Amino acid sequence: MKKLSAFAFLLLLSTFLHSEEISLYAAASLKNALREIAEDWQKTSPHSIHFNFESSGTLARQISEGAPADIFFSADESKMDFLEKKGLIQNETRKSLLSNQLAIIVPLHSSFKGTDPRDLLALSKIALGETQTVPAGAYAREYLIQKNLWNSLQSKIIPCENVRAVQAAVQSENADAGIVYKTDAMISSSIKIAFLVPCNEGPRISYPIAVVQSAKSKKAAEEFIHFLSTRRASQIFEKYGFPLQKSAVEY
């Protein structure tokens, strides 16, 4: 076996000693994109990432109760506002990074031919993320209120703990339809998109990210957030259907 030179050994030791594990609390809808981006980042970074994917409301509550997060990546601004008001994030690191779009999904073999939100009135069960804790559910409720449909559909709503649970309910045909993000609908072959909510008709969807005030790996966390704004990361986000907000992209 070839021996390492003293310099190579010291370089390897230095890298090992300076490697940190970043704890990233992120919205469930970001799971596939973030895992791929992290894998790409770790090819050149000594740091590793531990993920906690859940609804943004659940994650914000966990952080407010002292959970050991380094980064919070929310699917809406209100959950980040909640932590900011409590002094639990580093305000200077906060940025609005991504956008999204709502999609109405149905079971793969559904005969539903609706192309308008009023067509949902003909269905019996509609799955949504819990409107108080799941941003996709809150966005969906806002959209249905805007279309004067919420009062008529409220009794048909099946609340779910996150967007992936909404998809599972639709896939298993326990719901006739569901409202999720376009990005979630795109990666599932077990459901189909009935129609997309036009961006100019739906609520403005914004994904903010920030370093948590109590982060143990602050510098590494800032490095990863910077990487998320690079052209390389934006290409991966876009592959999964997430457009980056223009002001967030760094070249």
Side-chain angles (χ1 to χ4, degrees):
M1 176 182 282
K2 186 177 180 180
K3 292 183 179 180
L4 287 172
S5 69
F7 175 77
F9 175 78
L10 289 173
L11 182 63
L12 183 64
L13 180 62
S14 175
T15 299
F16 175 78
L17 291 176
H18 288 88
S19 64
E20 299 181 75
E21 183 179 72
I22 301 168
S23 182
L24 174 53
Y25 282 41
S29 54
L30 293 166
K31 184 174 183 178
N32 296 72
L34 281 180
R35 285 197 181 281
E36 184 170 334
I37 289 172
E39 184 177 337
D40 193 62
W41 181 66
Q42 288 173 307
K43 291 176 183 177
T44 56
S45 172
H47 309 303
S48 60
I49 299 179
H50 169 74
F51 290 107
N52 181 16
F53 293 108
E54 250 299 350
S55 70
S56 298
T58 298
L59 296 174
R61 176 180 53 78
Q62 290 174 353
I63 293 170
S64 72
E65 293 174 352
D70 293 305
I71 299 173
F72 179 43
F73 202 165
S74 174
D76 79 341
E77 299 286 347
S78 68
K79 304 302 181 291
M80 190 67 79
D81 290 342
F82 167 75
L83 293 182
E84 182 174 328
K85 289 174 183 177
K86 288 180 171 289
L88 296 176
I89 64 166
Q90 296 181 29
N91 296 345
E92 70 278 7
T93 67
R94 177 175 177 172
K95 64 169 67 178
S96 297
L97 195 61
L98 304 174
S99 186
N100 212 325
Q101 186 176 1
L102 292 179
I104 284 69
I105 59 171
V106 295
L108 195 58
H109 302 295
S110 171
S111 60
F112 179 70
K113 302 295 183 182
T115 57
D116 183 89
R118 295 196 64 81
D119 294 327
L120 295 173
L121 293 169
L123 303 178
S124 300
K125 297 178 181 179
I126 302 167
L128 297 185
E130 167 55 54
T131 59
Q132 296 301 311
T133 60
V134 183
Y139 288 130
R141 180 178 182 273
E142 181 182 341
Y143 173 65
L144 294 174
I145 289 174
Q146 178 188 329
K147 295 297 181 181
N148 297 313
L149 293 172
W150 179 253
N151 290 339
S152 300
L153 292 174
Q154 194 169 2
S155 63
K156 302 180 179 185
I157 299 299
I158 301 173
C160 300
E161 62 182 356
N162 54 46
V163 286
R164 300 301 168 94
V166 174
Q167 285 184 269
V170 174
Q171 180 181 336
S172 63
E173 300 188 13
N174 287 319
D176 303 310
I179 304 180
V180 298
Y181 295 124
K182 171 187 173 182
T183 51
D184 291 288
M186 284 174 56
I187 61 175
S188 175
S189 60
S190 302
I191 51 92
K192 61 183 179 181
I193 297 175
F195 60 93
L196 295 172
V197 174
C199 291
N200 61 347
E201 292 184 17
R204 178 179 175 274
I205 298 175
S206 178
Y207 284 63
I209 190 169
V211 176
V212 176
Q213 191 64 253
S214 60
K216 294 181 179 179
S217 304
K218 291 183 180 181
K219 185 176 180 181
E222 289 175 356
E223 289 175 8
F224 185 65
I225 289 179
H226 173 74
F227 184 77
L228 293 178
S229 299
T230 62
R231 175 54 59 186
R232 172 59 187 149
S234 73
Q235 291 172 342
I236 297 174
F237 277 129
E238 287 167 0
K239 183 177 79 170
Y240 286 95
F242 289 101
L244 263 75
Q245 297 196 32
K246 291 182 180 179
S247 60
V249 181
E250 298 177 9
Y251 293 87

